[in-house]
Amino acid sequence: MRFLTTTALCALVATPALAWKEDYAVLKFGILSGENEKDRLMRNEPLRAFLEAELGVEVEIFTAGNYDGVIQAMAADQIEIGRFGSSSYAAAYTATNGGVIPTLTTLNQDGSTGYYSIVVARCDSGIESLADAEGKVHAFADPDSTSGYAVPYFNMINVEEIIPEEFFGTVTFSGSHEAGVQGVYNGTFDTAATWMDNPQSSVYTRMEDKGMITAGEICTIWESPEITSGPWTFRSNLPEELIEDVTTAIQAFPTADPEGYKIYSSWTADNENPEVGFQRVNHERYQWIVDMREWIRDQRRSG
């Protein structure tokens, strides 16, 4: 009788972990279009393979041509997980009426959990500050980008006292961070908004490393206050066990597969700190981004 009871108890304990795998034999996580598709797939492949082996289910990467494609896929229950920036998370939160759960954010190599919006120009353009860019062609990255749109737009108006549509000669969207920097490099745009972790790690330094642009041609002319790094996000209608199991696996990735994590994160040093890589978060961390997006929406409507 004791054997039967123990067996039954073990079955009950194991059931939740097995149940979600039976219903979700394939997990899809969406990644944003801040980088060209070939490189973003390459960068995320080690994590995809790790999660597949760790969880025992098929894991697929979902991409779209713009940020909103991933947001709408989440809202339509077409993907289970999204790797969002802060603003695109806020957009997904709004699009799903709060039906998403953030669990992890990135812990940078220096131990910080933030990054910066920057505006860049060609170093030889004579544009050394936002003031020098008056009447020029400026590109934001994507309407749902935190560093490529929401934060610089908000700060231009509220801190720099610049209304972009009136200050610049032309305001446009490049479609992605790399496209914005490439447009500045090629002379299509005079300035572009993008992101930077620190002066040694940014979109344009990555592009230099990949041979997409020549080093020393792109310079930063404006930098925002620190921005909260965006979260790994799950649909709230998923089983709690699934959310926790996947979150735990992602959190283990940097130390379980340090070489794969270097590819994923573009780190250049060994990851010896088990706490470095990802950090747990909740929605409260991002409410200010939701509020900022609502302010920008109201500002544009009134304008």
Side-chain angles (χ1 to χ4, degrees), residues 41-84:
L41 288 173
M42 176 275 296
R43 192 178 303 284
N44 282 274
E45 174 57 23
L47 175 59
R48 187 208 66 77
F50 174 80
L51 291 177
E52 193 167 86
E54 189 77 3
L55 298 168
V57 297
E58 185 177 347
V59 177
E60 296 179 357
I61 298 173
F62 174 88
T63 63
N66 56 28
Y67 286 31
D68 192 56
V70 180
I71 293 164
Q72 294 307 316
M74 177 74 83
D77 288 358
Q78 294 174 346
I79 60 175
E80 288 71 43
I81 311 152
R83 177 61 178 92
F84 290 120

mmCIF file of all heavy atoms in Angstrom, residues 41-84:
data_model
loop_
_atom_site.group_PDB
_atom_site.id
_atom_site.type_symbol
_atom_site.label_atom_id
_atom_site.label_comp_id
_atom_site.label_asym_id
_atom_site.label_seq_id
_atom_site.Cartn_x
_atom_site.Cartn_y
_atom_site.Cartn_z
ATOM 1 N N LEU A 41 19.057 35.459 -36.585
ATOM 2 C CA LEU A 41 18.848 34.017 -36.487
ATOM 3 C C LEU A 41 20.118 33.321 -36.008
ATOM 4 O O LEU A 41 20.068 32.425 -35.155
ATOM 5 C CB LEU A 41 18.401 33.454 -37.829
ATOM 6 C CG LEU A 41 16.975 33.798 -38.272
ATOM 7 C CD1 LEU A 41 16.731 33.327 -39.697
ATOM 8 C CD2 LEU A 41 15.945 33.193 -37.322
ATOM 9 N N MET A 42 21.259 33.740 -36.551
ATOM 10 C CA MET A 42 22.537 33.173 -36.121
ATOM 11 C C MET A 42 22.779 33.434 -34.638
ATOM 12 O O MET A 42 23.178 32.546 -33.892
ATOM 13 C CB MET A 42 23.671 33.781 -36.957
ATOM 14 C CG MET A 42 25.076 33.346 -36.553
ATOM 15 S SD MET A 42 25.793 34.342 -35.180
ATOM 16 C CE MET A 42 25.911 35.962 -35.940
ATOM 17 N N ARG A 43 22.478 34.640 -34.198
ATOM 18 C CA ARG A 43 22.735 35.027 -32.809
ATOM 19 C C ARG A 43 21.856 34.243 -31.839
ATOM 20 O O ARG A 43 22.264 33.918 -30.718
ATOM 21 C CB ARG A 43 22.495 36.531 -32.642
ATOM 22 C CG ARG A 43 22.991 37.097 -31.340
ATOM 23 C CD ARG A 43 22.757 38.603 -31.277
ATOM 24 N NE ARG A 43 23.393 39.289 -32.377
ATOM 25 C CZ ARG A 43 24.689 39.536 -32.475
ATOM 26 N NH1 ARG A 43 25.491 39.137 -31.512
ATOM 27 N NH2 ARG A 43 25.191 40.178 -33.508
ATOM 28 N N ASN A 44 20.634 33.938 -32.240
ATOM 29 C CA ASN A 44 19.693 33.263 -31.347
ATOM 30 C C ASN A 44 19.703 31.743 -31.475
ATOM 31 O O ASN A 44 19.067 31.060 -30.672
ATOM 32 C CB ASN A 44 18.272 33.788 -31.588
ATOM 33 C CG ASN A 44 18.036 35.137 -30.955
ATOM 34 O OD1 ASN A 44 17.674 35.233 -29.784
ATOM 35 N ND2 ASN A 44 18.254 36.193 -31.724
ATOM 36 N N GLU A 45 20.412 31.207 -32.464
ATOM 37 C CA GLU A 45 20.408 29.758 -32.667
ATOM 38 C C GLU A 45 20.963 28.978 -31.474
ATOM 39 O O GLU A 45 20.393 27.937 -31.101
ATOM 40 C CB GLU A 45 21.166 29.404 -33.939
ATOM 41 C CG GLU A 45 21.349 27.912 -34.180
ATOM 42 C CD GLU A 45 20.038 27.122 -34.222
ATOM 43 O OE1 GLU A 45 18.976 27.726 -34.507
ATOM 44 O OE2 GLU A 45 20.072 25.911 -33.964
ATOM 45 N N PRO A 46 22.063 29.420 -30.831
ATOM 46 C CA PRO A 46 22.545 28.657 -29.666
ATOM 47 C C PRO A 46 21.508 28.565 -28.552
ATOM 48 O O PRO A 46 21.365 27.512 -27.921
ATOM 49 C CB PRO A 46 23.779 29.444 -29.218
ATOM 50 C CG PRO A 46 24.251 30.138 -30.441
ATOM 51 C CD PRO A 46 22.999 30.509 -31.181
ATOM 52 N N LEU A 47 20.774 29.640 -28.319
ATOM 53 C CA LEU A 47 19.732 29.612 -27.292
ATOM 54 C C LEU A 47 18.597 28.699 -27.712
ATOM 55 O O LEU A 47 18.081 27.913 -26.905
ATOM 56 C CB LEU A 47 19.204 31.020 -27.030
ATOM 57 C CG LEU A 47 18.020 31.107 -26.057
ATOM 58 C CD1 LEU A 47 18.369 30.531 -24.693
ATOM 59 C CD2 LEU A 47 17.550 32.555 -25.922
ATOM 60 N N ARG A 48 18.199 28.770 -28.980
ATOM 61 C CA ARG A 48 17.123 27.896 -29.460
ATOM 62 C C ARG A 48 17.494 26.435 -29.258
ATOM 63 O O ARG A 48 16.694 25.643 -28.740
ATOM 64 C CB ARG A 48 16.840 28.162 -30.945
ATOM 65 C CG ARG A 48 15.619 27.407 -31.488
ATOM 66 C CD ARG A 48 15.757 27.124 -32.964
ATOM 67 N NE ARG A 48 16.855 26.198 -33.236
ATOM 68 C CZ ARG A 48 16.790 24.893 -33.031
ATOM 69 N NH1 ARG A 48 15.692 24.321 -32.553
ATOM 70 N NH2 ARG A 48 17.846 24.134 -33.293
ATOM 71 N N ALA A 49 18.703 26.065 -29.660
ATOM 72 C CA ALA A 49 19.146 24.675 -29.530
ATOM 73 C C ALA A 49 19.245 24.257 -28.063
ATOM 74 O O ALA A 49 18.884 23.129 -27.705
ATOM 75 C CB ALA A 49 20.501 24.499 -30.221
ATOM 76 N N PHE A 50 19.712 25.169 -27.211
ATOM 77 C CA PHE A 50 19.823 24.863 -25.786
ATOM 78 C C PHE A 50 18.445 24.618 -25.175
ATOM 79 O O PHE A 50 18.247 23.650 -24.432
ATOM 80 C CB PHE A 50 20.520 26.013 -25.058
ATOM 81 C CG PHE A 50 20.553 25.845 -23.560
ATOM 82 C CD1 PHE A 50 21.483 25.019 -22.967
ATOM 83 C CD2 PHE A 50 19.635 26.521 -22.756
ATOM 84 C CE1 PHE A 50 21.510 24.850 -21.583
ATOM 85 C CE2 PHE A 50 19.652 26.354 -21.377
ATOM 86 C CZ PHE A 50 20.592 25.524 -20.789
ATOM 87 N N LEU A 51 17.488 25.489 -25.484
ATOM 88 C CA LEU A 51 16.146 25.333 -24.924
ATOM 89 C C LEU A 51 15.500 24.040 -25.406
ATOM 90 O O LEU A 51 14.828 23.345 -24.645
ATOM 91 C CB LEU A 51 15.267 26.528 -25.319
ATOM 92 C CG LEU A 51 15.624 27.866 -24.681
ATOM 93 C CD1 LEU A 51 14.713 28.970 -25.217
ATOM 94 C CD2 LEU A 51 15.540 27.794 -23.162
ATOM 95 N N GLU A 52 15.719 23.706 -26.667
ATOM 96 C CA GLU A 52 15.148 22.474 -27.210
ATOM 97 C C GLU A 52 15.691 21.250 -26.466
ATOM 98 O O GLU A 52 14.934 20.344 -26.093
ATOM 99 C CB GLU A 52 15.462 22.389 -28.700
ATOM 100 C CG GLU A 52 14.677 21.331 -29.439
ATOM 101 C CD GLU A 52 14.787 21.505 -30.943
ATOM 102 O OE1 GLU A 52 15.771 20.982 -31.524
ATOM 103 O OE2 GLU A 52 13.905 22.167 -31.531
ATOM 104 N N ALA A 53 16.991 21.232 -26.220
ATOM 105 C CA ALA A 53 17.592 20.103 -25.509
ATOM 106 C C ALA A 53 17.191 20.091 -24.038
ATOM 107 O O ALA A 53 16.936 19.032 -23.459
ATOM 108 C CB ALA A 53 19.118 20.175 -25.637
ATOM 109 N N GLU A 54 17.130 21.258 -23.436
ATOM 110 C CA GLU A 54 16.837 21.360 -22.015
ATOM 111 C C GLU A 54 15.383 21.027 -21.697
ATOM 112 O O GLU A 54 15.081 20.381 -20.691
ATOM 113 C CB GLU A 54 17.162 22.782 -21.530
ATOM 114 C CG GLU A 54 17.108 22.981 -20.038
ATOM 115 C CD GLU A 54 18.323 22.437 -19.316
ATOM 116 O OE1 GLU A 54 19.252 21.938 -19.987
ATOM 117 O OE2 GLU A 54 18.340 22.515 -18.076
ATOM 118 N N LEU A 55 14.473 21.452 -22.563
ATOM 119 C CA LEU A 55 13.045 21.303 -22.292
ATOM 120 C C LEU A 55 12.446 20.033 -22.887
ATOM 121 O O LEU A 55 11.378 19.593 -22.468
ATOM 122 C CB LEU A 55 12.287 22.525 -22.823
ATOM 123 C CG LEU A 55 12.664 23.864 -22.188
ATOM 124 C CD1 LEU A 55 12.083 25.018 -22.990
ATOM 125 C CD2 LEU A 55 12.203 23.934 -20.736
ATOM 126 N N GLY A 56 13.099 19.472 -23.886
ATOM 127 C CA GLY A 56 12.583 18.255 -24.503
ATOM 128 C C GLY A 56 11.405 18.482 -25.416
ATOM 129 O O GLY A 56 10.585 17.575 -25.634
ATOM 130 N N VAL A 57 11.280 19.700 -25.957
ATOM 131 C CA VAL A 57 10.249 20.007 -26.946
ATOM 132 C C VAL A 57 10.905 20.744 -28.104
ATOM 133 O O VAL A 57 12.017 21.262 -27.974
ATOM 134 C CB VAL A 57 9.116 20.872 -26.347
ATOM 135 C CG1 VAL A 57 8.380 20.133 -25.241
ATOM 136 C CG2 VAL A 57 9.653 22.209 -25.850
ATOM 137 N N GLU A 58 10.218 20.798 -29.223
ATOM 138 C CA GLU A 58 10.745 21.534 -30.373
ATOM 139 C C GLU A 58 10.637 23.028 -30.095
ATOM 140 O O GLU A 58 9.618 23.501 -29.594
ATOM 141 C CB GLU A 58 9.960 21.162 -31.631
ATOM 142 C CG GLU A 58 10.511 21.780 -32.900
ATOM 143 C CD GLU A 58 9.757 21.323 -34.141
ATOM 144 O OE1 GLU A 58 8.975 20.352 -34.032
ATOM 145 O OE2 GLU A 58 9.950 21.944 -35.206
ATOM 146 N N VAL A 59 11.674 23.770 -30.415
ATOM 147 C CA VAL A 59 11.686 25.221 -30.210
ATOM 148 C C VAL A 59 11.972 25.897 -31.545
ATOM 149 O O VAL A 59 12.931 25.537 -32.232
ATOM 150 C CB VAL A 59 12.736 25.632 -29.165
ATOM 151 C CG1 VAL A 59 12.784 27.160 -29.018
ATOM 152 C CG2 VAL A 59 12.435 24.980 -27.820
ATOM 153 N N GLU A 60 11.134 26.853 -31.910
ATOM 154 C CA GLU A 60 11.283 27.562 -33.176
ATOM 155 C C GLU A 60 11.433 29.057 -32.924
ATOM 156 O O GLU A 60 10.880 29.601 -31.967
ATOM 157 C CB GLU A 60 10.061 27.328 -34.079
ATOM 158 C CG GLU A 60 9.863 25.887 -34.503
ATOM 159 C CD GLU A 60 8.639 25.699 -35.382
ATOM 160 O OE1 GLU A 60 7.914 26.707 -35.604
ATOM 161 O OE2 GLU A 60 8.400 24.572 -35.835
ATOM 162 N N ILE A 61 12.190 29.715 -33.805
ATOM 163 C CA ILE A 61 12.352 31.159 -33.748
ATOM 164 C C ILE A 61 11.376 31.797 -34.728
ATOM 165 O O ILE A 61 11.287 31.386 -35.889
ATOM 166 C CB ILE A 61 13.786 31.584 -34.096
ATOM 167 C CG1 ILE A 61 14.777 30.994 -33.091
ATOM 168 C CG2 ILE A 61 13.911 33.100 -34.141
ATOM 169 C CD1 ILE A 61 16.227 31.234 -33.466
ATOM 170 N N PHE A 62 10.652 32.792 -34.276
ATOM 171 C CA PHE A 62 9.714 33.527 -35.121
ATOM 172 C C PHE A 62 10.276 34.921 -35.381
ATOM 173 O O PHE A 62 10.696 35.611 -34.461
ATOM 174 C CB PHE A 62 8.350 33.640 -34.430
ATOM 175 C CG PHE A 62 7.353 34.506 -35.172
ATOM 176 C CD1 PHE A 62 6.543 33.960 -36.149
ATOM 177 C CD2 PHE A 62 7.243 35.865 -34.883
ATOM 178 C CE1 PHE A 62 5.631 34.750 -36.833
ATOM 179 C CE2 PHE A 62 6.331 36.659 -35.565
ATOM 180 C CZ PHE A 62 5.523 36.104 -36.542
ATOM 181 N N THR A 63 10.304 35.325 -36.650
ATOM 182 C CA THR A 63 10.757 36.668 -36.994
ATOM 183 C C THR A 63 9.687 37.359 -37.826
ATOM 184 O O THR A 63 8.811 36.717 -38.408
ATOM 185 C CB THR A 63 12.060 36.634 -37.806
ATOM 186 O OG1 THR A 63 11.830 35.957 -39.058
ATOM 187 C CG2 THR A 63 13.155 35.918 -37.039
ATOM 188 N N ALA A 64 9.761 38.666 -37.859
ATOM 189 C CA ALA A 64 8.836 39.458 -38.671
ATOM 190 C C ALA A 64 9.594 40.637 -39.244
ATOM 191 O O ALA A 64 10.705 40.963 -38.800
ATOM 192 C CB ALA A 64 7.657 39.932 -37.822
ATOM 193 N N GLY A 65 8.997 41.284 -40.217
ATOM 194 C CA GLY A 65 9.669 42.397 -40.879
ATOM 195 C C GLY A 65 9.776 43.646 -40.025
ATOM 196 O O GLY A 65 10.599 44.519 -40.299
ATOM 197 N N ASN A 66 8.920 43.760 -39.002
ATOM 198 C CA ASN A 66 9.000 44.902 -38.090
ATOM 199 C C ASN A 66 8.592 44.463 -36.690
ATOM 200 O O ASN A 66 8.170 43.328 -36.481
ATOM 201 C CB ASN A 66 8.125 46.066 -38.584
ATOM 202 C CG ASN A 66 6.666 45.656 -38.783
ATOM 203 O OD1 ASN A 66 6.158 44.741 -38.134
ATOM 204 N ND2 ASN A 66 5.980 46.337 -39.678
ATOM 205 N N TYR A 67 8.719 45.364 -35.746
ATOM 206 C CA TYR A 67 8.423 45.031 -34.356
ATOM 207 C C TYR A 67 6.973 44.616 -34.176
ATOM 208 O O TYR A 67 6.656 43.691 -33.414
ATOM 209 C CB TYR A 67 8.708 46.241 -33.449
ATOM 210 C CG TYR A 67 10.168 46.538 -33.196
ATOM 211 C CD1 TYR A 67 11.154 46.263 -34.138
ATOM 212 C CD2 TYR A 67 10.569 47.122 -32.000
ATOM 213 C CE1 TYR A 67 12.484 46.547 -33.892
ATOM 214 C CE2 TYR A 67 11.900 47.415 -31.747
ATOM 215 C CZ TYR A 67 12.852 47.127 -32.708
ATOM 216 O OH TYR A 67 14.170 47.406 -32.464
ATOM 217 N N ASP A 68 6.081 45.334 -34.857
ATOM 218 C CA ASP A 68 4.656 45.083 -34.673
ATOM 219 C C ASP A 68 4.265 43.670 -35.095
ATOM 220 O O ASP A 68 3.314 43.104 -34.562
ATOM 221 C CB ASP A 68 3.834 46.110 -35.467
ATOM 222 C CG ASP A 68 2.354 46.081 -35.095
ATOM 223 O OD1 ASP A 68 2.042 46.239 -33.894
ATOM 224 O OD2 ASP A 68 1.521 45.888 -35.992
ATOM 225 N N GLY A 69 5.003 43.078 -36.032
ATOM 226 C CA GLY A 69 4.707 41.718 -36.453
ATOM 227 C C GLY A 69 4.841 40.725 -35.316
ATOM 228 O O GLY A 69 4.039 39.793 -35.180
ATOM 229 N N VAL A 70 5.860 40.924 -34.461
ATOM 230 C CA VAL A 70 6.047 40.048 -33.299
ATOM 231 C C VAL A 70 5.004 40.348 -32.228
ATOM 232 O O VAL A 70 4.457 39.443 -31.597
ATOM 233 C CB VAL A 70 7.473 40.197 -32.728
ATOM 234 C CG1 VAL A 70 7.671 39.277 -31.528
ATOM 235 C CG2 VAL A 70 8.511 39.885 -33.802
ATOM 236 N N ILE A 71 4.698 41.628 -32.045
ATOM 237 C CA ILE A 71 3.686 42.023 -31.063
ATOM 238 C C ILE A 71 2.329 41.416 -31.421
ATOM 239 O O ILE A 71 1.643 40.838 -30.566
ATOM 240 C CB ILE A 71 3.581 43.564 -31.000
ATOM 241 C CG1 ILE A 71 4.870 44.147 -30.429
ATOM 242 C CG2 ILE A 71 2.373 43.999 -30.165
ATOM 243 C CD1 ILE A 71 5.017 45.638 -30.668
ATOM 244 N N GLN A 72 1.952 41.526 -32.680
ATOM 245 C CA GLN A 72 0.652 40.998 -33.101
ATOM 246 C C GLN A 72 0.618 39.470 -33.074
ATOM 247 O O GLN A 72 -0.420 38.873 -32.816
ATOM 248 C CB GLN A 72 0.299 41.513 -34.504
ATOM 249 C CG GLN A 72 0.064 43.019 -34.561
ATOM 250 C CD GLN A 72 -0.965 43.490 -33.542
ATOM 251 O OE1 GLN A 72 -2.017 42.868 -33.354
ATOM 252 N NE2 GLN A 72 -0.666 44.595 -32.867
ATOM 253 N N ALA A 73 1.759 38.841 -33.330
ATOM 254 C CA ALA A 73 1.826 37.380 -33.223
ATOM 255 C C ALA A 73 1.581 36.941 -31.792
ATOM 256 O O ALA A 73 0.912 35.928 -31.533
ATOM 257 C CB ALA A 73 3.181 36.874 -33.716
ATOM 258 N N MET A 74 2.113 37.694 -30.845
ATOM 259 C CA MET A 74 1.864 37.404 -29.428
ATOM 260 C C MET A 74 0.389 37.607 -29.103
ATOM 261 O O MET A 74 -0.243 36.776 -28.440
ATOM 262 C CB MET A 74 2.736 38.306 -28.562
ATOM 263 C CG MET A 74 2.534 38.155 -27.063
ATOM 264 S SD MET A 74 3.244 36.634 -26.390
ATOM 265 C CE MET A 74 4.957 37.126 -26.186
ATOM 266 N N ALA A 75 -0.181 38.702 -29.578
ATOM 267 C CA ALA A 75 -1.584 39.016 -29.288
ATOM 268 C C ALA A 75 -2.532 37.994 -29.902
ATOM 269 O O ALA A 75 -3.623 37.740 -29.363
ATOM 270 C CB ALA A 75 -1.927 40.418 -29.793
ATOM 271 N N ALA A 76 -2.116 37.394 -31.026
ATOM 272 C CA ALA A 76 -2.961 36.415 -31.724
ATOM 273 C C ALA A 76 -2.688 34.981 -31.279
ATOM 274 O O ALA A 76 -3.190 34.038 -31.904
ATOM 275 C CB ALA A 76 -2.756 36.550 -33.226
ATOM 276 N N ASP A 77 -1.888 34.798 -30.234
ATOM 277 C CA ASP A 77 -1.537 33.474 -29.720
ATOM 278 C C ASP A 77 -0.794 32.628 -30.744
ATOM 279 O O ASP A 77 -0.849 31.399 -30.720
ATOM 280 C CB ASP A 77 -2.793 32.711 -29.251
ATOM 281 C CG ASP A 77 -3.364 33.275 -27.955
ATOM 282 O OD1 ASP A 77 -2.767 34.218 -27.397
ATOM 283 O OD2 ASP A 77 -4.403 32.764 -27.497
ATOM 284 N N GLN A 78 -0.048 33.287 -31.645
ATOM 285 C CA GLN A 78 0.720 32.556 -32.647
ATOM 286 C C GLN A 78 2.117 32.184 -32.139
ATOM 287 O O GLN A 78 2.764 31.304 -32.694
ATOM 288 C CB GLN A 78 0.844 33.401 -33.922
ATOM 289 C CG GLN A 78 -0.485 33.626 -34.624
ATOM 290 C CD GLN A 78 -0.360 34.570 -35.800
ATOM 291 O OE1 GLN A 78 0.644 35.264 -35.957
ATOM 292 N NE2 GLN A 78 -1.378 34.618 -36.629
ATOM 293 N N ILE A 79 2.582 32.886 -31.118
ATOM 294 C CA ILE A 79 3.847 32.558 -30.465
ATOM 295 C C ILE A 79 3.612 32.539 -28.958
ATOM 296 O O ILE A 79 2.675 33.172 -28.453
ATOM 297 C CB ILE A 79 4.974 33.553 -30.818
ATOM 298 C CG1 ILE A 79 4.607 34.978 -30.380
ATOM 299 C CG2 ILE A 79 5.300 33.500 -32.294
ATOM 300 C CD1 ILE A 79 5.714 35.994 -30.591
ATOM 301 N N GLU A 80 4.447 31.793 -28.266
ATOM 302 C CA GLU A 80 4.295 31.695 -26.811
ATOM 303 C C GLU A 80 5.147 32.720 -26.065
ATOM 304 O O GLU A 80 4.779 33.183 -24.985
ATOM 305 C CB GLU A 80 4.698 30.292 -26.329
ATOM 306 C CG GLU A 80 3.714 29.191 -26.676
ATOM 307 C CD GLU A 80 3.698 28.860 -28.153
ATOM 308 O OE1 GLU A 80 4.785 28.777 -28.767
ATOM 309 O OE2 GLU A 80 2.583 28.692 -28.704
ATOM 310 N N ILE A 81 6.287 33.073 -26.655
ATOM 311 C CA ILE A 81 7.294 33.864 -25.958
ATOM 312 C C ILE A 81 7.794 34.957 -26.893
ATOM 313 O O ILE A 81 7.907 34.753 -28.109
ATOM 314 C CB ILE A 81 8.489 32.976 -25.546
ATOM 315 C CG1 ILE A 81 7.996 31.710 -24.839
ATOM 316 C CG2 ILE A 81 9.466 33.735 -24.653
ATOM 317 C CD1 ILE A 81 8.926 30.527 -24.985
ATOM 318 N N GLY A 82 8.107 36.112 -26.337
ATOM 319 C CA GLY A 82 8.688 37.184 -27.122
ATOM 320 C C GLY A 82 9.878 37.786 -26.401
ATOM 321 O O GLY A 82 9.849 37.958 -25.183
ATOM 322 N N ARG A 83 10.934 38.064 -27.142
ATOM 323 C CA ARG A 83 12.073 38.796 -26.578
ATOM 324 C C ARG A 83 11.912 40.241 -27.005
ATOM 325 O O ARG A 83 12.244 40.626 -28.112
ATOM 326 C CB ARG A 83 13.397 38.217 -27.086
ATOM 327 C CG ARG A 83 14.622 38.987 -26.581
ATOM 328 C CD ARG A 83 14.699 38.935 -25.052
ATOM 329 N NE ARG A 83 15.886 39.624 -24.562
ATOM 330 C CZ ARG A 83 15.929 40.917 -24.215
ATOM 331 N NH1 ARG A 83 14.832 41.659 -24.316
ATOM 332 N NH2 ARG A 83 17.041 41.453 -23.767
ATOM 333 N N PHE A 84 11.326 41.046 -26.110
ATOM 334 C CA PHE A 84 10.954 42.408 -26.447
ATOM 335 C C PHE A 84 11.918 43.440 -25.876
ATOM 336 O O PHE A 84 12.597 43.196 -24.882
ATOM 337 C CB PHE A 84 9.552 42.722 -25.903
ATOM 338 C CG PHE A 84 8.441 41.999 -26.605
ATOM 339 C CD1 PHE A 84 7.614 41.140 -25.909
ATOM 340 C CD2 PHE A 84 8.214 42.197 -27.954
ATOM 341 C CE1 PHE A 84 6.576 40.474 -26.545
ATOM 342 C CE2 PHE A 84 7.174 41.538 -28.604
ATOM 343 C CZ PHE A 84 6.356 40.678 -27.904
#
